[in-house]
Amino acid sequence: LIQNEMGFQAIALGNHEFDLGTADLAALIDGSAAGVDQDGNDFTGTAFPYLSANLDFSTDANLAPLAVAGGQAPQANVVTSSTILDVNGEQVAVVGATVPTLGSISSPGDVGINPPWAGSTPTSAELDALAAIIQAEVDALLAANPGLNKVILSSHMQRISIEQDLAERLTDVD
C-alpha cells in the first residue's frame, strides 16, 4: 500500500520480499492478500512491476502466473526482468537484478537464481556472469527500442561494493 501511494513505477526484487516464501509474495503482488487501503478499499496488489533479470520466475508455481516479458510499459501485479517508463515523453528503461545468494539468505521457493554464487563474496568470474545476464537484457532493450538512450539498473546486491563492481562491468547503463 505504501509503495503504491508513493507512486513507484518499478521496484527491484530483494531478498526480504521472499522472506515468507513465494506464495505470500505472489499474494502481495497480485492483490489476493487480504487487506484494505486507508480509504477502506480492497487491496489490489502492486500498481507497478517487480523486476529481476537474473531470476527465472517460470520455475515457481506461485510466481510463474505473474511473469511477463521484459521491455514493456509498467504493468501492475507482475514480475518481469525490465520495464520501459515514459518520463516526460522520454523512454527510460529500468532493469532489475537480485543478489544470487538469495537461496541461502531467504525463501525463494522454486525460483531459478542465476548465476550461482558459492558465497556472499563473489569471485570476479561470478560478477562477470551476473553482469553478462544484466548486459544481455540491456542490449535487448536497446536493440528493440532504437530511440532509447537511458537505462537504469535497480539492483539489490547486499553490499555497495558489489553494486560498484557490477557498474564497472556494464555498458550503456546510466
Side-chain angles (χ1 to χ4, degrees), residues 142-155:
L142 292 171
N145 302 280
L148 180 66
N149 68 1
K150 294 173 182 66
V151 179
I152 297 169
L153 173 62
S154 179
S155 59

Side-chain angles (χ1 to χ4, degrees), residues 5 36-42:
E5 288 296 318
V36 295
D37 66 17
Q38 69 269 12
D39 298 320
N41 301 312
D42 286 336

Side-chain angles (χ1 to χ4, degrees), residues 97-116:
T98 306
V99 67
T101 58
L102 182 65
S104 64
I105 60 174
S106 196
S107 303
D110 293 323
V111 170
I113 305 165
N114 295 301

Side-chain angles (χ1 to χ4, degrees), residues 129-163:
L130 177 58
I133 291 169
I134 296 165
Q135 190 66 57
E137 185 74 18
V138 170
D139 292 347
L141 289 166
L142 292 171
N145 302 280
L148 180 66
N149 68 1
K150 294 173 182 66
V151 179
I152 297 169
L153 173 62
S154 179
S155 59
H156 185 91
M157 294 293 142
Q158 296 295 108
R159 292 197 322 259
I160 191 66
S161 62
I162 297 173
E163 309 274 356

Side-chain angles (χ1 to χ4, degrees), residues 38-101:
Q38 69 269 12
D39 298 320
N41 301 312
D42 286 336
F43 177 64
T44 58
T46 60
F48 53 84
Y50 266 103
L51 309 175
S52 186
N54 66 307
L55 297 182
D56 180 359
F57 305 109
S58 70
T59 56
D60 185 83
N62 298 308
L63 292 174
L66 306 181
V68 299
Q72 302 181 56
Q75 299 176 51
N77 313 110
V78 301
V79 292
T80 189
S81 54
S82 63
T83 191
I84 298 181
L85 310 175
D86 180 319
V87 179
N88 300 323
E90 287 190 67
Q91 288 186 321
V92 177
V94 182
V95 177
T98 306
V99 67
T101 58

Side-chain angles (χ1 to χ4, degrees), residues 13-27:
L13 282 161
N15 56 296
H16 289 299
E17 280 81 9
F18 292 93
D19 283 351
L20 298 177
T22 61
D24 281 356
L25 175 57

